Amino acid sequence: MQALPIFIKITNRLCVVIGGGDVASRKVNMLLKANAAVLVISPNICHELQALAEAQKIQYMQASYAAAQLQGACLVIAATDDAAANAAVSRDAQAFNIPVNVVDSPGLCTFTMASIVERSPIVIAISSEGNAPVLARYIRTKIETMLPTGYGRIAAIAGEFRDKVKAKFATTQERRIFWEGVLQGPIIERILSGQEAAARKALDDVLSEKAEVKNRGEVYLVGGGPGDPDLLTFRALRLMQQCDVCVYDKLVSPEVMELVRRDADLIYVGKVRDQHTLPQEEINELLAKLALQGKRVLRLKGGDPFIFGRGGEEIETLMQHGVPFQVVPGITAANGVSSYAGIPLTHRDYAQACLFITGHLKDGTLDLDWVAMSRPRQTVVIYMGLVGLTQICQQLIAHGVSPDMPAAVIQQGTTQRQRVVTATLSDLAEKVTAAEMKAPCLTIIGEVVQLREKLNWFEPNAKGHL
């Protein structure tokens, strides 16, 4: 290690930036985040710095550089395109014992600017000591994807309770054990899911009862998206990695399942038409039962839990049992599959509305709102409509939709097994049968389907355009 990583408090302290271009602007913005009093010195400044000066967020001195300008500064940054001026700033700052950074010149620096991951008050700085700033930024990006934005809120709430914890636990070891229990339990999940009031109450309860943090069970109702694991949210992935048991559906792709914690218990409750592994009511009770046993239960669903996913029914049961839960939305099939098929759901020339329909009702009948589905200038997206596809097409034509209306059926959309059949209402069912399409499939009906020929961009390994 060639440099000591430290954090310097510069709140309301003078920081001088020599230079007025875009690079100087980026450095100024970083200093302002730390509440510094910034003075920019340059003959000219860019529009961004001019706006900051006019808003009185920085001081601006329109002048060429002179050593006397550094007097009183706690640090200096040189960001000009003049090598001689940059060298002079470095030399003068060091003579005044002021820390100095010269952009892109490690040899002239007494400190370097790290690449920052900010979850204030948590701040992570990555430095290559000026040797590889692009690599440092790349590492920062990796950490950004791993660290939830809510960690800053965790730190802030921990700060609020610091004195209370110190008053209860006499030794450092006792306090460490307490906080480790908190960080691994449901209180943290409440903070990360935005339930900060509930988290504070839980911490107060634990401290007032002088009890250990209990690892109470919880249910994570997570949307697994349409199939491509890259479409998962950061929160979904984090919860998938920390669950004790995963209750999952048939529509969750194998690639997504691969990301579930390796040693979690897996319980399959998938549904095939008229063949339910577990009735929905029993699934609801199973989730509550597992959570009441103290387990962290991942209820993993394809698409989004609240769009034909029966998530509402499941959390009603959880609420009846007093089980904590959180809901993580997923990209629903209509959005993900249509995008990967190159079919925009709305388009100002073809469709100003979009209608989501489930292809079978609760009692298994096909009694849909055909009038609403037959309106012009809209896109109709049908989930789970493969079995009733012939009747759907016939009914739409009977209710006034043109037999030549473009339509498509997409099988296993967003995955490398994606297959697409495009046709018209008059021959869609026939072509789908000939192609031996299998569930899960999504049906899209509307003028927007004709755009697929122009907008198709996704090429799965197994060529899927029929």
Side-chain angles (χ1 to χ4, degrees), residues 219 221-222 249 251 269-285 287 299-318 327 358-365 383-384:
V219 174
L221 195 64
V222 172
D249 281 347
L251 294 179
V269 293
K271 302 178 182 68
V272 181
R273 185 178 175 88
D274 300 327
Q275 297 179 27
H276 291 188
T277 303
L278 279 181
Q280 184 61 50
E281 292 74 14
E282 292 187 26
I283 295 175
N284 302 346
E285 293 296 332
L287 298 176
R299 177 63 172 113
L300 187 57
K301 294 173 171 287
D304 180 89
F306 281 6
I307 299 182
F308 306 130
R310 300 186 178 179
E313 299 174 39
E314 293 175 353
I315 65 174
E316 281 184 300
T317 301
L318 297 176
V327 180
T358 178
H360 64 270
L361 302 183
K362 189 171 183 179
D363 59 3
T365 63
Y383 291 67
M384 301 169 285

Side-chain angles (χ1 to χ4, degrees), residues 221-228 231-233 236 240 249-253 256 299-311 327-337 383 413-414 440 442:
L221 195 64
V222 172
D228 184 349
L231 299 180
L232 288 168
T233 65
M240 290 166 65
D249 281 347
K250 175 182 174 62
L251 294 179
V252 181
S253 72
V256 169
R299 177 63 172 113
L300 187 57
K301 294 173 171 287
D304 180 89
F306 281 6
I307 299 182
F308 306 130
R310 300 186 178 179
V327 180
V328 182
I331 294 178
T332 188
N335 289 339
V337 172
Y383 291 67
T414 78
L442 192 81

Side-chain angles (χ1 to χ4, degrees), residues 12-32:
N12 297 324
R13 299 181 67 191
L14 179 62
C15 297
V16 177
V17 177
I18 310 299
D22 292 337
V23 175
S25 178
R26 290 196 293 270
K27 302 303 181 183
V28 166
N29 281 309
M30 185 65 71
L31 294 172
L32 290 176

Side-chain angles (χ1 to χ4, degrees), residues 6-11 13 34 74-75 99 111:
I6 59 175
F7 290 85
I8 302 175
K9 286 187 177 294
I10 58 173
T11 301
R13 299 181 67 191
C74 72
L75 65 80
F111 78 93

